[in-house]
Amino acid sequence: MTSHETVEGLAARVPDGALLAIPPEYSFVPMAMVRALIRRAVRDLHLLAVPTGGLAADMLIGAGCVKTMEAAAVSLGEAGPAPRFTEAVTTGAVVMRDSTCPAVHSALQAAEKGVPFMPLRGLIGSDVLKHRDDWTVVDDPLGEGGGPIVLLPAIRPDVAVFHSPRADTGGNVWVGRRRELVTMVHAAKTALVTVETVQETDLLADEATAAGTLPALYVTAIAEAREGAWPLALAGHYDADAEHIRAYARQAKTPEGFRGYLDRHVFAPAVQAAS
Amino acid sequence: MTRSADEFLICVIARMLDGAGHVAVGAASPIPGAAALLMRELTHGRLLVSMIHGRANNPFTDGGREVFDCAGQGRIDVFFLGGAQIDGEANINLVGTGDYPAVDTRFPGSFGSAYMYFVVPKVILFRHEHTRRVFVPKVDFISAPGVSPPGVYRPGGPKALVTGLAVFSFDEGRARFRLESVHPGHTVEEVLDNTGFDVDVREDVPTTPDAEPDRLALLRSTIGAEVADVYPDFAARVLGAAAAGAASPGAG
C-alpha cells in the first residue's frame, strides 16, 4: 500500500550511500524533493542520471551529497555547463562513471526483467568502454556471427524519484509518455514520487489513463508538492523558469555563489514552509 | 539577402538531408535541428524529423530508450554529432581534454554518441568553431571512434563534417577526411592552417553555395517558431534577431 507523506518525509527515506536514480531534464524532475534532500544533508549518494543529468544533479553535487555520478552527460542544456558538476569532476571531489544513453536504459531494462545483464551494440573502441571495468566484451555467445558485443550488468537503484502531475488516492501515478520513468521505477527497489495533486478518481479505471499510469504496486510513497518541478518544466503543465536557471548557472560558477543560491532557494524558512 | 553565419550553416546542412527518410536530432543541436525542420517543410513532410528532446516534433512514446532501439533497427537514416575535439580519423571527444579522468576541462559527456555513431548510416559531424583547438591530431578521449576494425557490427558512421569554414566528406576505408568545399570569404589555406590533421583536398575546391533566399525566408517565417519549442534561446537569438533584421552579414 502506497504511503502518503510530506516531501521531507520522502527525503528522509533516502539513506546515505543509496544508489539514487533521477530522471533527465525533460522528464518530470522532482526539484522540491532535491531541495528536501539537500536540507536533509544526505551523503555519499551514487547518483544515476537516466540517462543524462542537469540541475538536480548539479545541485546535489554542489551540496556535497554525491560520491559517485553515473551519467551519459551532465549539463544545464541551453543555460550552459553544469558548474558544480564540472568543478567536482575536474578536482576529483566526485567520481564520474561516464556512460552512454542507451547503456543506462539497457542496464535498467535488465533489472526490470530480473536478468543479470543486457547486450548493447556500439561502444567497442570507445574510451567510455575502456574505463568501465564493470562492462564486458564477449563474442556473440549464440554463434550467430554477431561479432564482439558489450554486456552491461543490470543496474538496480535503491531508490528512484520523480515528480508527476498527478496520482490517485490509491497511489497510482500518471506518467503519460514519459516511459523512461516506468523503466527506472521497475528496476528500482523503492520509488518515491512527488505530485502536483492527488485525485479521487482511479487512474486505472479508464483505459485512456491506465495506459499512461505507473501502478501503485511499484510506488513506495507519494507526497504533494505544488510546482514540484520548478524551476524546471513539467511537460504539459508549466514551462521552465529559464531566467531562474540562467541565474543559477551564473551564481553556481563559484562555491560562494552556489552557497548563496542554496541559502535563498533551499534553506530560507519561506521555501521550507512552502514545501 | 543578408544572412547570419548560423543561417548559412543551417542551409548547408539542409542540402545534405536531401533524399533522407528519417532524421533524428539530439541534445544541443539547434543548427542541425533547424536544418532538419527546414527540409521537412521543403519536402512537404516526406522527411520525417524526430527531435528527441522536447514535446513537439517528438514522435516517441516509449521512453528515452525508443530512439536508440529505433536506430538499432536501422529506422533512422541521419543523425548529428559534434565534438569538443575531433581528429583526422573522425574520433570524437565529448568528455574532456587532458588525461581522463583527471581532465583539465570537462564537457558534459558522450550522450548517445558511443552507440549512434555505430548504427546510424549517415552521421553528419558538425562543429562551428574551426580551429586547431578543436581539430586535433588525436583526441584526448574517444567518446566514439570514427572507424571500427573488421568484424565489429557497424552499419553506421561519419559521412561528412561541416564547420564554420568548410565542408568535408569522410572515407571510412581510408579513415580520412577530404575537403569538399570552402565557405564564401574563406580560402583552402585558411582551412588547412586551422586543421590539426592531414586531409585530402579535392582538385579546384569549390566555394560552398550560399544560403538560398527562399529557404532563408522560410527559416525566418515558419521554422523559427518550431525551433523555439526545443531551443528557445537559440531561436530568439539567431532566428528572432534575423527576423528583426539585426543579423550581421556573416561570411559563414
Side-chain angles (χ1 to χ4, degrees):
Chain A
M1 175 90 189
T2 305
S3 162
H4 290 254
E5 304 183 0
T6 63
V7 178
E8 306 295 331
L10 294 197
R13 285 174 169 271
V14 179
D16 288 356
L19 200 176
L20 178 70
I22 57 170
E25 213 73 332
Y26 52 83
S27 181
F28 291 10
V29 184
M31 290 306 300
M33 168 90 101
V34 166
R35 290 185 284 271
L37 283 167
I38 291 171
R39 286 193 292 271
R40 119 128 186 65
V42 65
R43 287 291 176 267
D44 298 328
L45 291 175
H46 296 265
L47 193 62
L48 174 74
V50 181
T52 56
L55 184 63
D58 201 60
M59 286 176 63
L60 287 167
I61 288 170
C65 305
V66 179
K67 187 175 182 181
T68 312
M69 176 85 229
E70 178 165 358
V74 179
S75 93
L76 298 181
E78 284 208 297
R84 293 294 89 211
F85 159 77
T86 306
E87 185 175 306
V89 170
T90 314
T91 60
V94 164
V95 174
M96 179 66 181
R97 288 164 74 80
D98 272 287
S99 189
T100 190
C101 302
V104 176
H105 294 303
S106 296
L108 290 170
Q109 283 183 279
E112 191 178 30
K113 292 174 194 300
V115 297
F117 57 83
M118 191 71 83
L120 185 70
R121 290 295 191 194
L123 280 168
I124 293 167
S126 85
D127 287 341
V128 177
L129 170 64
K130 188 171 134 193
H131 290 276
R132 291 294 299 250
D133 55 10
D134 54 333
W135 295 354
T136 305
V137 181
V138 298
D139 276 326
D140 174 359
L142 301 186
E144 304 279 329
I149 191 161
V150 179
L151 303 184
L152 314 162
I155 299 178
R156 192 168 185 220
D158 294 310
V159 187
V161 294
F162 71 92
H163 177 75
S164 155
R166 63 188 196 275
D168 64 27
T169 48
N172 302 303
V173 179
W174 173 253
V175 293
R177 69 153 100 173
R178 299 277 39 119
R179 301 198 67 81
E180 57 276 348
L181 302 173
V182 174
T183 301
M184 180 177 90
V185 167
H186 284 178
K189 295 171 195 165
T190 57
L192 308 174
V193 182
T194 57
V195 297
E196 294 287 321
T197 57
V198 177
Q199 65 180 42
E200 295 289 332
T201 314
D202 182 355
L203 285 162
L204 296 177
D206 181 339
E207 286 300 304
T209 53
T213 296
L214 175 72
L217 80 96
Y218 299 102
V219 181
T220 312
I222 60 176
E224 279 192 64
R226 291 293 162 92
E227 298 187 4
W230 177 88
L232 300 177
L234 187 63
H237 294 264
Y238 43 84
D239 290 333
D241 186 343
E243 201 170 311
H244 183 97
I245 297 166
R246 279 195 293 272
Y248 171 86
R250 283 194 302 275
Q251 288 165 42
K253 279 182 181 156
T254 64
E256 301 73 34
F258 177 69
R259 199 71 222 168
Y261 177 89
L262 289 189
D263 287 343
R264 206 156 40 253
H265 296 292
V266 176
F267 292 116
V271 177
Q272 298 193 47
S275 71
Chain B
M1 193 186 291
T2 8
R3 48 77 179 166
S4 69
D6 286 337
E7 289 173 324
F8 169 78
L9 290 169
I10 290 168
C11 291
V12 170
I13 292 173
R15 277 174 226 133
M16 297 179 160
L17 305 178
D18 210 3
H22 186 186
V23 178
V25 183
S29 308
I31 288 174
L37 292 171
L38 176 61
M39 272 319 271
R40 183 176 70 178
E41 186 74 17
L42 288 165
T43 60
H44 306 288
R46 279 197 307 281
L47 175 67
L48 175 61
V49 177
S50 298
M51 312 285 268
I52 67 178
H53 289 185
R55 295 177 72 217
N57 302 305
N58 182 342
F60 298 115
T61 55
D62 205 13
R65 69 189 175 84
E66 189 179 358
V67 66
F68 302 105
D69 294 350
C70 194
Q73 293 179 306
R75 292 177 188 267
I76 294 173
D77 304 313
V78 186
F79 193 67
F80 302 96
L81 288 170
Q85 294 178 324
I86 298 172
D87 68 26
E89 295 188 354
N91 297 310
I92 62 172
N93 174 7
L94 294 159
V95 162
T97 54
D99 280 337
Y100 184 87
V103 291
D104 306 322
T105 308
R106 172 74 207 199
F107 306 110
S110 302
F111 290 96
S113 66
Y115 176 86
M116 295 297 264
Y117 215 21
F118 288 79
V119 298
V120 177
K122 182 175 185 175
V123 174
I124 298 171
L125 296 172
F126 171 63
R127 183 70 207 259
H128 198 154
E129 178 184 336
H130 191 134
T131 62
R132 284 177 176 261
R133 189 177 79 133
V134 172
F135 298 107
V136 296
K138 183 80 187 141
V139 295
D140 293 344
F141 183 98
I142 301 174
S143 284
V147 295
S148 296
V152 172
Y153 179 82
R154 183 143 198 190
K159 290 292 183 291
L161 165 66
V162 178
T163 76
L165 297 181
V167 174
F168 300 82
S169 60
F170 186 73
D171 180 335
E172 288 170 53
R174 299 174 61 230
R176 277 177 75 87
F177 286 105
R178 185 171 87 146
L179 180 59
E180 294 291 344
S181 71
V182 172
H183 301 341
H186 298 283
T187 64
V188 173
E189 290 67 35
E190 183 186 0
V191 170
L192 298 180
D193 281 351
N194 287 288
T195 306
F197 49 78
D198 283 344
V199 298
D200 295 333
V201 180
R202 66 176 276 183
E203 278 181 47
D204 301 323
V205 179
T207 300
T208 313
D210 213 325
E212 300 85 344
D214 55 328
R215 294 187 176 189
L216 265 185
L218 200 56
L219 202 50
R220 291 170 185 180
S221 60
T222 312
I223 309 301
E226 297 184 49
V227 176
D229 178 69
V230 191
Y231 307 105
D233 291 0
F234 173 85
R237 192 176 72 249
V238 175
L239 303 172
S248 59

